[in-house]
Amino acid sequence: MWNKAKNSLVVQIGLLYILSFVVVVSLWLFFYVQQKTRLQTDNMGRYINTATTLQPFLIQAIPIYDDDLSVFDMKLYEKIVPNNFQLLYRKGDSHKGFAVYELDDKKLLYIYNHIDEVLLQDTKKAANISIVHIVFLILLISQTLLYIRVRKLLRPLSLIKNKLLTIEDGDLTALSFDTNYDEIRQMVHSYNKAVAKIQYILDTREMFSKIFMHELKMPIAKAMFHLKADVPSATSDKLKSILDQLNTELDKFAQLESLISRHEKIDDTANSTAKIIEEAICKLNKTDKQTIDINCPQTAMIKGDRQLWVICFKNIIENALKYSSDDHINIYCDNDKISFQNIGEALPIDISGDITNWKLTKHQRNKSSTGYGFGLFIIKTITTINRYKLNYSYDKQNRLLNIAIFI
């Protein structure tokens, strides 16, 4: 139990509350007993003083009146001691002394000697010690309410702790509960952001694995086919072209891998938009440049990693031509925006907003056997990393698809 208390903030607070509760109750009892003992001591001193003062009056048979007793907070009572009394204190012998009795709620002082006797009633009101009980009762109630409040404040921490334990079992669901406190809200936000990041990494890793196998399968198969045959010069050149293509794909995957992992810092170097578009077109296989209309001044510039923009534009152009109904694409650009337009079917997802799930069903517009929308993922990710915005629109009537990249 002690080890658990040392390692748990909630358990420590519970034990501290119990300890403080016991201390307060102990102090309550201590002050009550002390107050009661002091009251009894004061009364006993007053009784002894009264008996000592009145003994000479009784011996000399001097009458005693209530006015004489007021100074002692006493008054005359019946002459005879009642039978149903309770003896509290006695001092002296059978010839001379005094005794203190309690009858109901009254305190009686019986003074006697061999000549006379007198029975007095204590008229002094008992000191009001209820204030002590009220103070300690309010203290205990406040302490209990404070403990309940602290437990309520610590409840989000317990929920976060339990949620963190579920991550070990693969639970990556977001944490959701209402709170009015900035610290707890920030913890929940950071937790959900971290979980989303983990899910994003897992999804992209899975995507890379599937796409990597799919994209490299065909070049490897072609290379193996040519290796089995005689290898004349033309075939050797073709094989070299295939292997070069394979090497290029590997380089592209390595670059995108670093992009996803956020290990490389993206610079803000200004590059010529027209030259990047030309380089992207050159990387396309067997592309008729007559099918691409480019309206881009040489003064148009775009900031960011040049090679990543080449990959991004290549994917946009390649997909636009692949899915265009007339095999044609128009490119317009200036210093603020680059627009790619073609006629065809709408994209399977709206890439303008934040997208956390890139998995596309096979019946959607996507020729990749994996159904993962890899090209769209590349376009969206590179645009975001270079701190540009992506806007997608589709005109159903004219079947005009437009992807714009702007600052």
Side-chain angles (χ1 to χ4, degrees), residues 168-184:
E168 299 177 0
D169 299 326
D171 182 9
L172 297 179
T173 56
L175 185 61
S176 176
F177 57 82
D178 295 329
T179 178
N180 297 323
Y181 302 100
D182 295 336
E183 295 82 2
I184 301 298

Side-chain angles (χ1 to χ4, degrees), residues 36-269:
K36 190 173 182 181
T37 301
R38 188 179 68 177
L39 179 62
Q40 291 175 351
T41 302
D42 292 343
N43 286 337
M44 190 56 62
R46 187 162 51 86
Y47 296 154
I48 294 174
N49 185 39
T50 302
T52 303
T53 303
L54 295 181
Q55 281 291 355
F57 285 80
L58 296 178
I59 294 175
Q60 299 175 24
I62 298 175
I64 300 174
Y65 301 100
D66 287 340
D67 293 340
D68 302 324
L69 299 173
S70 61
V71 68
F72 302 108
D73 292 320
M74 296 284 182
K75 71 176 182 178
L76 294 172
Y77 196 68
E78 298 175 2
K79 188 69 175 177
I80 303 174
V81 179
N83 295 326
N84 56 342
F85 65 85
Q86 179 183 358
L87 178 63
L88 297 180
Y89 181 78
R90 179 186 292 275
K91 185 176 182 181
D93 51 25
S94 58
H95 300 287
K96 181 181 179 181
F98 72 92
V100 180
Y101 302 103
E102 184 175 23
L103 179 67
D104 298 330
D105 292 332
K106 301 175 183 177
K107 296 288 180 62
L108 303 179
L109 176 62
Y110 176 60
I111 307 173
Y112 62 93
N113 55 39
H114 61 283
I115 296 176
D116 200 0
E117 62 182 17
V118 65
L119 185 61
L120 308 176
Q121 179 183 344
D122 188 356
T123 59
K124 185 176 182 180
K125 294 182 179 180
N128 187 8
I129 61 174
S130 60
I131 186 65
V132 176
H133 301 296
I134 294 175
V135 169
F136 279 99
L137 187 60
I138 292 175
L139 183 60
L140 287 177
I141 293 175
S142 302
Q143 189 178 18
T144 303
L145 293 177
L146 179 62
Y147 171 71
I148 294 173
R149 182 61 178 173
V150 171
R151 283 295 300 268
K152 185 177 180 180
L153 293 177
L154 291 177
R155 182 174 176 272
L157 293 180
S158 299
L159 293 176
I160 293 175
K161 172 204 166 188
N162 295 332
K163 201 70 174 64
L164 289 173
L165 292 176
T166 61
I167 292 182
E168 299 177 0
D169 299 326
D171 182 9
L172 297 179
T173 56
L175 185 61
S176 176
F177 57 82
D178 295 329
T179 178
N180 297 323
Y181 302 100
D182 295 336
E183 295 82 2
I184 301 298
R185 190 182 297 113
Q186 181 60 45
M187 292 176 65
V188 173
H189 174 73
S190 299
Y191 172 85
N192 290 339
K193 191 173 181 180
V195 168
K197 176 68 175 179
I198 293 173
Q199 187 64 59
Y200 170 79
I201 292 175
L202 292 177
D203 288 343
T204 52
R205 296 290 181 183
E206 181 183 0
M207 183 192 308
F208 271 119
S209 177
K210 292 180 178 292
I211 295 296
F212 187 82
M213 291 185 293
H214 171 74
E215 296 295 335
L216 297 186
K217 181 178 179 181
M218 187 58 67
I220 293 175
K222 290 180 179 179
M224 292 179 63
F225 172 77
H226 288 292
L227 286 175
K228 292 180 180 180
D230 293 334
V231 188
S233 177
T235 304
S236 178
D237 293 339
K238 191 170 184 178
L239 180 59
K240 183 179 182 301
S241 175
I242 294 173
L243 293 177
D244 288 340
Q245 180 185 354
L246 184 60
N247 185 62
T248 301
E249 293 294 329
L250 287 173
D251 290 340
K252 183 174 71 173
F253 279 116
Q255 193 171 20
L256 290 174
E257 173 66 17
S258 66
L259 171 68
I260 299 303
S261 301
R262 304 294 197 272
H263 288 163
E264 292 187 359
K265 183 179 179 181
I266 305 300
D267 59 36
D268 290 327
T269 303

